[in-house]
Amino acid sequence: MSPLYFRDAEQAEIGERLPVLPLRDLVVFPYVVTPLLVGRPATLAAIEAAMEEERWILLVAQRAAEVEEPAAADLHRMGVVGRILQVNRLPNGTAKVLVEGFARARVSRYAPAAGYLRAVASPTPLESREGEGEIAQGRAALELFEEYVALHRRLPDEVNAMVQGAPSLTQRAYGVAAHLAVAAERKQDLLEIDALEALLRRLVEMLTTEIELLRLERKIDDDVRGTLFRNQREFYLQEQLKAIHRELGQEDADDLTELEAQLAAKSLPEPVRARALRELRRLRRMSPMSPESTVARGFLDWVVALPWSERTSGHPDVARAKEALDADHYGLEDVKERILDYIAVLALVEKPDAPILCLVGPPGVGKTSLGRSIARALGRSFARMSLGGVRDEAEIRGHRRTYIGAMPGRVLQAMRRAGVVNPVLLLDEIDKLGHDYRGDPAAALLEVLDPEQNRAFSDHYLEVDYDLSQVLFVTTANSLAGIPEPLRDRMEIIRLPGYLDQEKLAIARRFLLPRQLERNGLDPRRVRIGDDVLQGILRGYTREAGVRELERRIARLARKLARQEAERAPHDAAAPLEVNVADLHALLGAAPHDDDTSLDDKVGVACGLAYTTAGGETLEIEVTVLPGRGKLALTGTLGDVMKESASAAMSYVRSRAAALGIDREFHRTRDIHIHIPAGATPKDGPSAGIAIAIAVASALTGIPVRGDVAMTGEVTLRGRVLAIGGLKEKAVAAHRCGIRHVIIPHGNARELDELPEEVRNAVVFHPVKTMDEVVTIALRAQPSASREGIAATAH
């Protein structure tokens, strides 16, 4: 027999197994008619089943609204048996359903049906004692609900009338619960209350809380509206006041007057002053709410903030400047001499043409810090611009004021930071400039770095001429290859080849070690680190042209010593900290570099010299001859220019086969494999030509190449040796590796006087014009020429 469901005087016999309609973010209460929009297949199937079974359906809320296909565990156990009043099918496959809640039901279990869920449910009527407590709670709830509807903006007054006119207290309670704007979880809690008095008490609590929140929201809304009204009123009155002042011929005594006083106090060029005053007059006539007023005010603020005549004063002192440069940097004599020359000229001429220096060298040799030292030596302000990765021309020249967020370029921003017209301005990493569809910043720098043009530098934002002629520009680069030729032509190039071991040792002793000890809380007077320890770090743990890695290693050593100091026993605290060479492995780990440079003679192996952005490097070139059909294999990630050099070297060896005592037909019966180790590192350039030729000649003749000889130079098909670049860096690299003899092109012999004296004293340089001279010096023994070779030479 089907269970009976009661609602006031009405009763209905409803089946025990009902189709289930899961509800998302919604709870349906008894007596309440609710429209639903249904689209899930399982829900549509449940409605179809209900329409075939006297239109009764169980309305149950989901525990989580995001579940698309709810199972039994996703549904609450308390729901409402509802009656489907109307179903309207929509073209998109969904349906509008009008349901009326009839009575509460508790689910004992859910069971799957044909594409939907059915529930075994039993009636759960609301307990009512019809006592004075219920009546009192009901009156309180209805009074609060009336106030709630009055405060709530989305509930019409008809809702209150409908609830108040309900015939029974239970119907009124469920009507209030249905119209509360609270979360679905809280409504489900109301539905699950079994006693009417408890339900009314809970409604009174919730209504009291919600009314307080609505009152607070109403107060905030009224305050905001009042503030807006006051702002509009103040704006209107201010506009009226301005009109009155204009009629009386009076000016505003606001910040525009202060801005005008600042403009009057600045020593502006006459065109700039005229333009600024014109903008100020425009600004006075504008409404403060106009976007143009912000643009004009920004222009005037920049005119006031930029230096136009302010300069660093003081008589240049060459001796003091030399002391400042020597105190900050060890070595770098070429740069120091050039700066001292400029300071000497500055002492004799009031406004000399400032040089534009370009410091080119590997990372870590002190290019950037040298800019600060130059400013300190000159007693000037210092500003730095990093150009690495800059791809937009507007970064240099600024944006036009028509754009939102426009501002001057980096040059004028740096001048504003410097505060004077004659600072030292460092343009860092000028070789890392990029370019794309937004323009070429390197081309924009042509005007900045040209002494004939930068007297009237034009920024797109200011659109007035600005004088940069008194600025001392210092640029830095790792390589000249990334700098366009017109830009390079405007700068005076000063090369920093990298430090020798003795220079690194002095820098570590004078600068790096004391600085790192102090940074790590150690007293340099209580730490004993000998020169042999620093030499061990230099040769075993670093292999660089600069000193950055050396400082990192010294910093790590200082941290280890600081830890030892912290872990010391109190009675040992006064003892000094001492580091020996034998302690380096424990403190710094295994040495990544082998100090023992192999200078043994080898067949088919020649030592070349390369120039990279990290400084000079030695380049080992290996050649192996194998039986074959004359194939030439080139490996080691070689560029096109280096491959062409290898081909030219092979052609030279073939042309001189007889003179070298080599079979003329070796290229038909032998395969030659040329490999340059460190295969993952790309290599290119023509300067390895003579080294490749010597390695091939050694491999074919069986005569070893001298291990104490390195060489650099481009080879031609006729055996001539052409000049190369980067001799200073390559010579320093050879000296660092213990090379005693270096073969260089005769065209580079004039550069030998520019090499460091220590390198010239330790290395013997052999300028050569032809490959025959290279063969004589580089091979351990001279090859015996065949008869054909002698005859060819005689002719």
Side-chain angles (χ1 to χ4, degrees):
M1 182 177 179
S2 301
L4 287 174
Y5 286 78
F6 294 90
R7 188 177 72 174
D8 296 335
E10 185 181 1
Q11 67 178 18
E13 186 176 341
I14 303 173
E16 186 180 18
R17 295 170 58 86
L18 294 172
V20 177
L21 196 158
L23 302 174
R24 292 195 284 192
D25 287 331
L26 180 65
V27 176
V28 175
F29 289 89
Y31 303 95
V32 179
V33 177
T34 306
L36 303 174
L37 184 63
V38 177
R40 292 186 285 186
T43 309
L44 292 171
I47 291 173
E48 291 291 340
M51 295 297 290
E52 297 173 1
E53 300 174 6
E54 300 181 351
R55 296 175 175 254
W56 294 109
I57 194 165
L58 184 64
L59 306 168
V60 185
Q62 292 183 199
R63 297 183 187 275
E66 62 270 14
V67 178
E68 283 293 328
E69 297 180 4
D74 301 317
L75 300 175
H76 288 284
R77 292 288 174 170
M78 180 66 75
V80 173
V81 175
R83 180 164 43 203
I84 300 177
L85 302 179
Q86 186 179 352
V87 178
N88 291 329
R89 301 287 182 178
L90 299 179
N92 59 359
T94 60
K96 284 185 177 179
V97 183
L98 192 65
V99 296
E100 178 188 13
F102 186 81
R104 295 196 314 158
R106 187 177 300 278
V107 178
S108 57
R109 65 185 180 89
Y110 291 97
Y116 62 95
L117 287 176
R118 281 186 177 270
V120 178
S122 58
T124 310
L126 189 65
E127 297 176 6
S128 175
R129 299 177 182 177
E130 299 181 355
E132 294 180 356
E134 288 182 357
I135 296 173
Q137 293 287 350
R139 288 178 180 176
L142 291 175
E143 289 176 0
L144 290 171
F145 183 70
E146 183 177 1
E147 185 178 0
Y148 177 81
V149 173
L151 290 172
H152 204 291
R153 299 181 185 278
R154 296 184 181 180
L155 291 179
D157 295 335
E158 291 79 7
V159 171
N160 181 49
M162 181 184 65
V163 172
Q164 299 280 359
S168 67
L169 185 57
T170 302
Q171 187 173 352
R172 289 195 290 271
Y174 280 136
V176 172
H179 290 93
L180 277 177
V182 295
E185 290 83 4
R186 300 178 67 186
K187 286 191 175 184
Q188 181 67 29
D189 294 339
L190 292 175
L191 181 64
E192 293 183 0
I193 296 176
D194 294 326
L196 178 58
E197 185 175 354
L199 174 61
L200 292 170
R201 188 183 305 112
R202 182 64 180 145
L203 285 174
V204 169
E205 295 173 358
M206 294 178 66
L207 283 168
T208 302
T209 303
E210 292 298 315
I211 288 172
E212 289 297 326
L213 291 175
L214 287 174
R215 286 173 179 169
L216 182 59
E217 289 176 2
R218 179 66 64 89
K219 181 179 182 301
I220 294 173
D221 185 66
D222 292 340
D223 291 343
V224 171
R225 290 176 182 272
T227 302
L228 291 175
F229 175 76
R230 285 194 299 272
N231 290 341
Q232 292 173 349
R233 179 173 175 273
E234 289 172 3
F235 173 73
Y236 179 74
L237 292 176
Q238 285 176 358
E239 290 298 315
Q240 283 188 329
L241 186 61
K242 288 181 180 179
I244 293 171
H245 278 292
R246 283 196 297 269
E247 291 297 325
L248 296 175
Q250 298 173 354
E251 296 293 337
D252 294 340
D254 56 4
D255 58 344
L256 296 184
T257 304
E258 181 182 353
L259 186 60
E260 184 177 16
Q262 292 176 347
L263 289 173
K266 295 280 289 188
S267 298
L268 300 175
E270 194 55 38
V272 179
R273 181 179 300 279
R275 178 65 181 274
L277 293 177
R278 187 166 69 248
E279 288 290 329
L280 183 61
R281 288 193 295 270
R282 285 184 63 237
L283 183 59
R284 290 188 185 279
R285 294 193 298 268
M286 290 180 191
S287 166
M289 306 299 292
S290 171
E292 280 294 318
S293 66
T294 305
V295 176
R297 181 59 190 260
F299 170 80
L300 293 173
D301 287 341
W302 270 98
V303 171
V304 171
L306 282 172
W308 297 93
S309 59
E310 298 85 351
R311 54 185 296 111
T312 304
S313 59
H315 187 71
D317 188 341
V318 177
R320 186 180 63 84
K322 187 175 188 308
E323 290 178 2
L325 291 173
D326 290 339
D328 290 343
H329 290 81
Y330 183 86
L332 306 179
E333 298 301 331
D334 291 345
V335 187
K336 293 178 181 179
E337 287 294 322
R338 183 63 185 88
I339 297 303
L340 293 176
D341 292 346
Y342 173 69
I343 294 174
V345 174
L346 198 62
L348 303 175
V349 181
E350 183 178 356
K351 290 185 179 180
D353 291 335
I356 298 172
L357 307 178
C358 181
L359 309 179
V360 181
V365 296
K367 300 184 297 297
T368 303
S369 60
L370 190 59
R372 290 188 176 88
S373 298
I374 292 173
R376 197 163 72 89
L378 289 169
R380 293 188 179 185
S381 297
F382 173 78
R384 174 180 172 271
M385 277 175 54
S386 179
L387 299 177
V390 173
R391 309 179 67 84
D392 190 354
E393 179 241 356
E395 293 278 350
I396 307 298
R397 291 186 181 274
H399 301 82
R400 299 193 183 277
R401 280 178 281 156
T402 53
Y403 299 106
I404 296 175
M407 60 190 308
R410 294 194 180 194
V411 177
L412 290 192
Q413 292 179 35
M415 294 300 294
R416 179 178 181 175
R417 293 195 304 270
V420 292
V421 296
N422 62 338
V424 175
L425 184 54
L426 179 71
L427 307 182
D428 212 2
E429 308 292 354
I430 197 172
D431 58 329
K432 308 298 191 307
L433 284 170
H435 61 88
D436 56 16
Y437 64 93
R438 291 169 291 186
D440 186 357
L445 280 176
L446 294 177
E447 180 184 4
V448 177
L449 299 181
D450 190 339
E452 299 300 324
Q453 300 182 50
N454 62 14
R455 299 177 185 275
F457 172 67
S458 177
D459 187 276
H460 289 161
Y461 183 85
L462 289 185
E463 294 180 335
V464 293
D465 292 342
Y466 190 85
D467 187 4
L468 295 173
S469 62
Q470 300 180 57
V471 179
L472 174 58
F473 288 100
V474 179
T475 67
T476 70
N478 295 130
S479 171
L480 291 176
I483 305 176
E485 188 61 37
L487 187 58
R488 191 187 315 173
D489 183 60
R490 285 163 169 77
M491 299 184 294
E492 181 178 343
I493 308 298
I494 300 178
R495 292 186 175 274
L496 281 66
Y499 294 114
L500 304 175
D501 284 354
Q502 284 72 14
E503 292 175 327
K504 291 182 182 179
L505 183 63
I507 292 171
R509 176 61 65 188
R510 289 175 52 181
F511 300 102
L512 306 184
L513 184 59
R515 181 165 64 200
Q516 289 302 326
L517 290 177
E518 290 177 1
R519 285 181 180 178
N520 289 277
L522 297 172
D523 185 357
R525 295 171 297 181
R526 296 186 57 249
V527 179
R528 297 177 182 174
I529 299 177
D531 288 348
D532 56 339
V533 176
L534 295 178
Q535 285 281 10
I537 298 175
L538 268 174
R539 298 185 177 179
Y541 293 86
T542 66
R543 190 65 56 88
E544 59 177 344
V547 292
R548 280 189 184 149
E549 181 63 22
L550 176 60
E551 184 168 15
R552 281 191 286 266
R553 295 290 180 174
I554 292 175
R556 182 176 178 183
L557 180 65
R559 289 193 297 270
K560 295 291 186 181
L561 294 177
R563 180 177 173 183
Q564 291 181 9
E565 178 74 10
E567 294 175 349
R568 274 185 169 189
H571 60 274
D572 293 333
L577 294 168
E578 187 171 356
V579 180
N580 298 315
V581 177
D583 301 329
L584 289 180
H585 187 277
L587 296 172
L588 300 180
H593 303 291
D594 189 1
D595 188 30
D596 297 329
T597 305
S598 176
L599 300 179
D600 298 336
D601 299 349
K602 299 184 184 70
V603 175
V605 179
C607 181
L609 296 173
Y611 172 64
T612 69
T613 56
E617 296 287 345
T618 57
L619 203 65
E620 194 173 68
I621 299 170
E622 301 176 345
V623 176
T624 299
V625 180
L626 304 168
R629 298 183 178 180
K631 290 176 60 179
L632 175 63
L634 302 171
T635 57
T637 318
L638 309 184
D640 293 337
V641 177
M642 185 168 280
K643 290 178 180 179
E644 293 172 358
S645 295
S647 299
M650 280 296 301
S651 298
Y652 165 76
V653 173
R654 284 181 57 187
S655 67
R656 301 289 292 166
L660 295 172
I662 305 171
D663 182 9
R664 282 181 174 272
E665 301 298 320
F666 76 90
H667 61 283
R668 299 182 184 275
T669 60
R670 296 286 186 272
D671 289 344
I672 296 179
H673 186 172
I674 301 175
H675 176 69
I676 301 179
T681 304
K683 311 168 191 70
D684 205 0
S687 63
I690 65 173
I692 295 174
I694 284 297
V696 172
S698 170
L700 290 170
T701 60
I703 301 174
V705 181
R706 290 174 56 182
D708 61 345
V709 174
M711 60 202 77
T712 179
E714 180 179 355
V715 65
T716 68
L717 296 177
R718 303 298 181 188
R720 291 187 298 122
V721 179
L722 304 183
I724 46 82
L727 178 63
K728 185 181 294 186
E729 290 80 2
K730 294 176 181 179
V732 170
H735 176 263
R736 187 167 59 239
C737 294
I739 302 295
R740 301 301 182 195
H741 299 269
V742 175
I743 302 173
I744 63 172
H746 189 273
N748 293 102
R750 56 182 174 270
E751 301 178 30
L752 292 177
D753 292 339
E754 300 177 5
L755 299 182
E757 183 179 358
E758 185 177 347
V759 175
R760 295 200 306 270
N761 294 338
V763 179
V764 179
F765 292 91
H766 302 272
V768 297
K769 294 182 178 180
T770 64
M771 273 300 301
D772 291 342
E773 299 176 66
V774 179
V775 171
T776 303
I777 300 169
L779 295 183
R780 179 56 67 183
Q782 297 306 307
S784 56
S786 63
R787 293 181 179 276
E788 295 177 358
I790 296 172
T793 304
H795 286 296

